Amino acid sequence: MEQDNARSIQTGEVPALVAGLPIVNVWYGGQSIGLYRVKQVDERAMVLKHGAISFPVGTPLDVVDFQRLIPNSASLRVSTMVVDNTLHGIRLVW
């Protein structure tokens, strides 16, 4: 039997449609906002595709990197800050 959903402690149910894509769970104010696709990532920054909610520059967000996309990260949860929000995506740094 094929599994339709992947499961993570931090994300809950991940729809099969996005299960193989580079995604992170974005949190704001202690609440999960949802899953966002990752366009680019390096050791100090990440660019997310726009989702249902767009965040202004200066917004503090937590990112749960359950797929281990961030190189050399000691934790699955990273506190970030929005430093750019353009047509190209939402840029976060930590």
Side-chain angles (χ1 to χ4, degrees):
M1 174 179 254
E2 238 178 77
Q3 184 178 358
D4 287 339
N5 294 317
R7 179 142 177 86
S8 165
I9 288 172
Q10 294 290 333
T11 61
E13 297 300 320
V14 176
L17 181 66
V18 297
L21 300 173
I23 54 176
V24 293
N25 189 6
V26 175
W27 288 66
Y28 174 73
Q31 301 235 339
S32 175
I33 301 302
L35 301 175
Y36 279 71
R37 292 215 21 216
V38 177
K39 291 178 75 173
Q40 180 183 350
V41 66
D42 60 38
E43 290 186 18
R44 300 296 305 157
M46 175 180 288
V47 178
L48 304 178
K49 291 188 92 163
H50 288 282
I53 299 173
S54 188
F55 304 98
V57 171
T59 304
L61 299 172
D62 283 347
V63 170
V64 177
D65 179 23
F66 61 93
Q67 292 181 331
R68 294 282 200 191
L69 302 171
I70 301 171
N72 304 318
S73 178
S75 174
L76 291 178
R77 192 175 190 118
V78 179
S79 293
T80 70
M81 180 73 63
V82 177
V83 294
D84 198 19
N85 188 339
T86 67
L87 293 175
H88 301 290
I90 304 166
R91 185 172 180 76
L92 310 174
V93 297
W94 51 90

